[in-house]
Amino acid sequence: MRVNEIAFGAAALARLAAAHYTFNGLLINDELVGRDWQYIRQHDRGYMPTFREEAATSDDFRCNQNGGSGVNTDVYTVRPGDKVGLRQAFGAGGIRHPGPAQVYLSLAPGSVKQYDGSGDWIKISQELACKPNIVPADFQTDAWCAWDEDNVSFVVPENIPEGEYLVRGEHIALHGAHDGKAEFYYACAQIKVEGSTGSELLGEKVLIPGVYGVDDDAINFSVWGRSTSYPFVPGPDVAPGGTIRGSADGSSAETVTIPFDSSSGGSEEEISPPETETPVCLTPPVRRQNRKLRKARSMRFRN
Ligand SMILES: *[C@@H]1O[C@H](CO)[C@@H](O)[C@H](O)[C@H]1NC(C)=O
Ligand SMILES: *[C@@H]1O[C@H](CO)[C@@H](O)[C@H](O)[C@H]1NC(C)=O
Ligand SMILES: [Cu+2]
C-alpha cells in the first residue's frame, strides 16, 4: 500500500523510513547521481516489503509493483570498474533489518526502458555475514554485512557484454523468516554498460520470479535460534566477475571476486562461503508464551 506522506507528517515519515525501506537513489562510485527515482524505476509499494509467495510467483518480484516498464526512467552509462549502488530511499538511516543482500543483473535485448525483466538474470553481488565470533543473537542485528548500511552495490566487471541492463538491488530481512515471513526489499536501476569486452553473460542464470522457492532454506532461517552460521546462499551462485562479501559465519568479512577463468560459473568450491555447521534452530517463538519478547522484537523492527 502506498504510504500517504502528506497525512503522516515529518516525524511519522522519519519513523516509517527507519522501519522499512526501498531503494530510490543511484550511486556511482559512491556519489549520488540525479534525482530520486531518476535512474531507478519508481514502483508504487513505497516502503513495504513483499513476502515469499510473491517471490515465488509474481512478475512484480522483478522490479516491484508497477516497475514493469522503464519508459519514465533514465539510463545511466557506466564502464568496467565503476561501482554502481542503489541507495536507500528518502534519506533513511540504514538498513536496520537482519539479512543478506544481493544484486542481480539482466541484459535487455534492446532498450532497457522497454524491457520487462522476463529474460535471464545473474547474481553479481552477494553480502552475507561480516562479524567475527558470531553469537546466535548477532543474527538478529549486526552479524550481517548490510546491517545499518544505506546501499547495496556491485562493481561493473570487464567481462560482461556491452548493452543496457536492469540492476536489481535486494535486501532480504529474516526476522520473520521462521514464520514464513521473510521480507523482500528491492528495486531496479537502469544502466548502459560501455567499454566491456564480454560476448555473453556467464554464470548461473535464473528467472524472476523463480529465483527463490517458498521452501528455500535461505529464506526460512531463524534468527532467533542457536545458529552461529548462515550456511545458505539465497538464489544462484555469484557469476564470474561478481563479488561475495562476508561469509556464512562472519569469520571473513572480505570481499572476494569470482574469477572469470572458468566460463561455467567459476571455481565455486574454493570461493563459496565456508560451510561450518548446520544450524540448530530452536522452536520458533511461541505466541503468548513470550509476549513481552515478541513485543520488544516488533518494536525493534516496527513491522
Ligand atoms: C554505500 O555502502 C557502503 C558499504 O557497503 C558504504 O561504505 C558507502 O559509504 C555507502 N555509500 C554511500 C554514498 O552512502
Ligand atoms: C522453516 O523453519 C522452521 C524452523 O525455523 C521449521 O519448523 C519449518 O519446518 C521450516 N520450513 C521449511 C519449509 O523448511
Ligand atoms: Cu520492516
Side-chain angles (χ1 to χ4, degrees):
M1 199 180 295
R2 184 158 198 135
V3 176
N4 184 336
E5 296 169 15
I6 296 159
F8 269 97
L13 189 62
R15 216 160 48 235
L16 275 174
H20 296 297
Y21 41 97
T22 185
F23 302 101
N24 73 348
L26 184 68
L27 299 173
I28 300 296
N29 300 320
D30 276 323
E31 299 287 339
L32 192 62
V33 293
R35 308 179 303 275
D36 290 354
W37 302 116
Q38 184 170 350
Y39 301 104
I40 296 184
R41 289 187 182 183
Q42 183 158 20
H43 59 84
D44 61 13
R45 211 177 245 129
Y47 304 106
M48 296 301 122
T50 53
F51 299 99
R52 62 182 184 180
E53 293 74 17
E54 173 178 313
T57 60
S58 170
D59 290 351
D60 285 348
F61 196 57
R62 293 175 191 152
C63 294
N64 225 323
Q65 192 172 277
N66 258 3
S69 162
V71 290
N72 297 318
T73 311
D74 289 342
V75 182
Y76 196 92
T77 300
V78 295
R79 301 184 64 83
D82 282 339
K83 184 176 172 190
V84 177
L86 283 81
R87 193 214 54 184
Q88 234 182 333
F90 314 118
I95 297 170
R96 287 188 157 258
H97 283 47
Q102 296 72 235
V103 180
Y104 291 90
L105 280 185
S106 185
L107 178 59
S111 161
V112 67
K113 286 177 170 247
Q114 322 293 338
Y115 178 48
D116 65 1
S118 56
D120 288 338
W121 293 79
I122 58 166
K123 186 161 68 183
I124 201 70
S125 164
Q126 176 69 65
E127 298 186 32
L128 296 165
C130 277
K131 185 177 182 174
N133 307 313
I134 284 173
V135 299
D138 292 338
F139 277 117
Q140 297 158 25
T141 57
D142 63 355
W144 304 95
C145 305
W147 176 262
D148 218 11
E149 294 187 349
D150 72 348
N151 68 89
V152 296
S153 66
F154 79 104
V155 175
V156 178
E158 172 68 38
N159 200 5
I160 60 172
E162 290 193 305
E164 298 194 1
Y165 288 82
L166 281 175
V167 180
R168 182 178 175 281
E170 175 188 71
H171 185 250
I172 305 177
L174 292 176
H175 50 291
H178 61 282
D179 244 354
K181 288 278 181 196
E183 298 178 355
F184 296 86
Y185 296 92
Y186 50 94
C188 294
Q190 299 188 156
I191 61 168
K192 178 177 186 181
V193 175
E194 283 182 358
S196 58
T197 58
S199 54
E200 57 174 338
L201 279 181
L202 305 176
E204 191 179 347
K205 316 281 194 308
V206 293
L207 296 176
I208 301 177
V211 54
Y212 309 129
V214 290
D215 291 342
D216 286 3
D217 291 332
I219 60 169
N220 186 46
F221 173 80
S222 177
V223 304
W224 312 104
R226 286 184 183 145
S227 182
T228 54
S229 164
Y230 174 74
F232 309 116
V233 174
D237 289 329
V238 174
T243 54
I244 299 176
R245 177 177 171 216
S247 52
D249 63 3
S251 56
S252 167
E254 279 168 39
T255 299
V256 176
T257 302
I258 308 298
F260 282 119
D261 41 22
S262 155
S263 59
S264 61
S267 2
E268 283 130 25
E269 240 101 48
E270 298 160 35
I271 304 292
S272 50
E275 305 255 342
T276 44
E277 71 200 47
T278 315
V280 185
C281 290
L282 295 174
T283 326
V286 179
R287 293 176 181 78
R288 246 166 244 293
Q289 181 197 334
N290 223 335
R291 208 176 246 169
K292 249 193 204 150
L293 195 57
R294 290 178 67 82
K295 189 159 180 224
R297 285 169 190 162
S298 62
M299 298 274 293
R300 172 152 10 137
F301 299 111
R302 288 210 179 85
N303 63 348

